[in-house]
Amino acid sequence: MSTAFSLAPLFRSSVGFDRFNDLFESALRNEPGSSYPPYNVEKHADDQYRIVIAAAGFQEEDLELQVEKGVLTVSGGKRDANESVTYLHQGIAQRAFKLSFRLADHIEVKAAALSNGLLNIDLLRVVPEEAKPKRIPINGAQQPALQH
């Protein structure tokens, strides 16, 4: 019995999904270490989202946000250890991390703020006018001619 499956039915009813293969592969990929630090993805309205990352022990200068090719990358660098402090127990992790979030089309990062150990990243869907749905009138009286 074969475990292979066909994606042909998906492609029959879709047009222009050039990035579909990339999205499918990234969904199947299991990236180790992506659970640190913990984070939430919140929806506040139809077009407003927020990513909240628990960044305890990090300061603003330790964190970096970058958007490239539809991927938001959040990274935190490890600060130099304080030589004058001896930890009897160190439960607040300050190790370096890198989180990546694939953004849907028309999603923009609007703001980022670090408050009370939480990094809040506000996202907004800004759909351009040409991408919004538009009503197409049906002309029953005349037959449109296709031009080549």
Side-chain angles (χ1 to χ4, degrees):
M1 183 168 163
S2 174
T3 59
F5 56 91
S6 172
L7 295 177
L10 293 174
F11 292 115
R12 275 194 295 252
S13 61
S14 62
V15 176
F17 282 84
D18 300 330
R19 294 180 20 206
F20 180 78
N21 192 37
D22 294 339
L23 293 173
F24 189 76
E25 285 180 7
S26 68
L28 290 177
R29 189 178 340 136
N30 184 10
E31 296 186 21
S34 64
S35 63
Y36 174 80
Y39 62 89
N40 294 335
V41 179
E42 305 169 352
K43 183 174 182 177
H44 289 265
D46 283 342
D47 293 329
Q48 296 178 352
Y49 304 88
R50 176 177 284 164
I51 298 172
V52 181
I53 300 173
F58 288 94
Q59 296 176 359
E60 289 179 24
E61 57 268 15
D62 301 329
L63 300 169
E64 182 180 324
L65 279 75
Q66 179 178 348
V67 177
E68 183 179 357
K69 296 182 181 177
V71 176
L72 168 65
T73 303
V74 181
S75 53
K78 192 164 76 170
R79 261 185 279 137
D80 295 332
N82 190 342
E83 300 283 331
S84 65
V85 175
T86 302
Y87 291 100
L88 301 177
H89 171 76
Q90 187 174 9
I92 300 173
Q94 291 181 342
R95 65 182 185 259
F97 70 89
K98 184 175 183 179
L99 294 173
S100 293
F101 301 92
R102 184 173 294 277
L103 302 178
D105 291 338
H106 313 299
I107 296 287
E108 296 179 5
V109 177
K110 284 299 174 189
L114 182 64
S115 175
N116 298 325
L118 297 174
L119 175 62
N120 294 294
I121 305 168
D122 293 324
L123 307 169
L124 182 66
R125 180 188 316 270
V126 180
V127 181
E129 200 60 42
E130 63 270 6
K132 291 181 181 176
K134 49 190 152 196
R135 186 167 171 77
I136 309 297
I138 298 174
N139 239 346
Q142 36 184 312
Q143 193 113 38
L146 293 178
Q147 306 229 349
H148 293 284

